[in-house]
Amino acid sequence: MNNSAETLEQVNSMMDSNDLVAETMLEPGHGNYSIREKIEKLVFLIFKGAAVINGLALIIICGFVLYYGLPAMSWEFLTESPRNSMTEGGIFPCIVGTIVLSYGALLIALPWGIATAIYLNEYATSPKLVRIIRLGINNLAGVPSVVFGLFGLSLFVTVMGMGVSIMAGVCTLGALALPLVIGASEEALRSVPQTYREASLGLGATKWQTIYKVVLPAALPGMLTGAILTLSRAAGETAAIMFTAAVFFTPEMPQSLFDDVMALPYHIYVLATAGTEIEKTRHIQYGTSLVLIALVLGMNLIAIYIRAKMQKKIGR
């Protein structure tokens, strides 16, 4: 018994010594702690520097566009159609076309993206199949937009007979934005605690009732992040619509989904590269760029406001 007590006392003494050594190594001023602290400060300094550089670049770009685009701003510029070889008039048809294409792409990409995310996160049982699907989604997210434009030209414009129209452009932009919506929706679904599902199932709800009435409302604010990204991506795309929806000039506003349309990104591209009076339209180019930035910002702010209201409503 005495030997056992002595052995136990020695073990406790060794453990106390190890704890003391560990605490000493983590004390400020100790060698290892000092090195870790310096590395941590260096990494945070790099992050701060990257944030400052990105912020400055954004300020410079916006300031540059604002400086050259503000002189073009007028009520006539925002409410009239272009005239006289695009050197006069306004960009109202382009604003309408951009809004229609952006929200149309959102209406297509959001339901399909959410449905895909629900399947992958809630229903899929084969890990191999899920990996293959996610690999395809990630690859689609990295495909250049001009490839989507050619895809839309081949499928929607030619094979399906939509022609160069709003519908063809909306479908193409929806396909382009789909990976963003799926990724954001999956993350939102993963953020819902598993206890929500277990509590609902424990009360006798079916799996679909649990998803529809418990999981989706809790994940909806996060899913709206995908909607915000979709609006931003769709509003600024040029290559995806130049083959499928946008035209340089049309004298009338579109009357149906199968009419062509003018759009701000394509308007800027044409004025800056293929216009007949490039120098005379320089102020219009910057003015159109400024309107596009303001339009995207406005649409994003509306979506962010809706998301904040939903988050407040569900208390998350």
Side-chain angles (χ1 to χ4, degrees):
M1 292 291 292
N2 292 335
N3 292 336
S4 299
E6 291 176 0
T7 303
L8 181 61
E9 185 177 351
Q10 291 176 357
V11 171
N12 291 334
S13 177
M14 292 176 62
M15 292 177 64
D16 292 339
S17 300
N18 292 335
D19 292 341
L20 181 61
V21 171
E23 291 176 1
T24 304
M25 292 178 66
L26 293 175
E27 288 180 356
H30 191 273
N32 291 342
Y33 183 89
S34 179
I35 293 174
R36 293 175 183 175
E37 189 179 39
K38 289 178 180 179
I39 294 175
E40 182 180 2
K41 288 182 178 180
L42 177 62
V43 172
F44 277 117
L45 184 63
I46 293 173
F47 289 160
K48 289 179 182 178
V52 170
I53 292 173
N54 288 332
L56 288 176
L58 179 63
I59 292 172
I60 291 172
I61 293 172
C62 291
F64 185 83
V65 174
L66 185 66
Y67 177 79
Y68 287 100
L70 201 58
M73 291 295 104
S74 66
W75 183 249
E76 175 189 10
F77 184 72
L78 297 175
T79 58
E80 293 188 3
S81 299
R83 61 178 186 270
N84 195 16
S85 299
M86 300 291 185
T87 59
E88 297 177 2
I91 57 171
F92 181 71
C94 305
I95 297 174
V96 173
T98 300
I99 294 174
V100 170
L101 290 172
S102 300
Y103 281 100
L106 179 63
L107 289 175
I108 288 181
L110 201 60
W112 283 102
I114 292 176
T116 303
I118 290 173
Y119 171 76
L120 292 175
N121 198 73
E122 304 292 336
Y123 284 104
T125 57
S126 172
K128 184 177 181 180
L129 177 62
V130 171
R131 284 197 300 269
I132 293 174
I133 295 175
R134 284 180 177 153
L135 178 62
I137 293 170
N138 292 333
N139 286 336
L140 281 178
V143 172
S145 58
V146 66
V147 176
F148 281 97
L150 293 174
F151 163 76
L153 174 64
S154 300
L155 179 62
F156 303 121
V157 176
T158 305
V159 176
M160 299 183 67
M162 295 181 182
V164 177
S165 63
I166 294 174
M167 195 65 193
V170 162
C171 292
T172 304
L173 289 174
L176 175 68
L178 198 57
L180 297 175
V181 178
I182 295 173
S185 299
E186 270 203 275
E187 289 300 322
L189 290 171
R190 291 194 196 103
S191 69
V192 178
Q194 187 63 27
T195 52
Y196 284 26
R197 299 173 177 84
E198 294 171 353
S200 178
L201 294 172
L203 292 173
T206 64
K207 188 174 183 63
W208 169 242
Q209 287 174 330
T210 299
I211 294 171
Y212 180 68
K213 295 185 177 181
V214 177
V215 177
L216 280 181
L220 193 57
M223 290 178 177
L224 285 177
T225 301
I228 295 170
L229 295 173
T230 300
L231 284 175
S232 302
R233 184 78 185 271
E237 280 298 332
T238 303
I241 62 173
M242 65 188 301
F243 303 120
T244 58
V247 293
F248 175 55
F249 176 74
T250 177
E252 298 179 357
M253 297 291 290
Q255 303 298 316
S256 73
L257 292 177
F258 295 97
D259 291 339
D260 49 30
V261 69
M262 298 180 70
L264 291 171
Y266 187 63
H267 192 64
I268 297 168
Y269 166 75
V270 172
L271 288 180
T273 60
T276 56
E277 301 286 352
I278 293 178
E279 290 301 324
K280 288 185 179 181
T281 60
R282 190 71 69 187
H283 66 292
I284 298 178
Q285 299 168 28
Y286 286 110
T288 307
S289 302
L290 183 59
V291 171
L292 178 59
I293 293 173
L295 186 65
V296 172
L297 178 62
M299 291 190 296
N300 284 349
L301 288 177
I302 293 173
I304 291 170
Y305 174 76
I306 296 174
R307 182 180 65 181
K309 292 283 287 185
M310 289 185 175
Q311 285 176 330
K312 185 178 180 180
K313 184 177 180 180
I314 65 176
R316 292 189 72 214

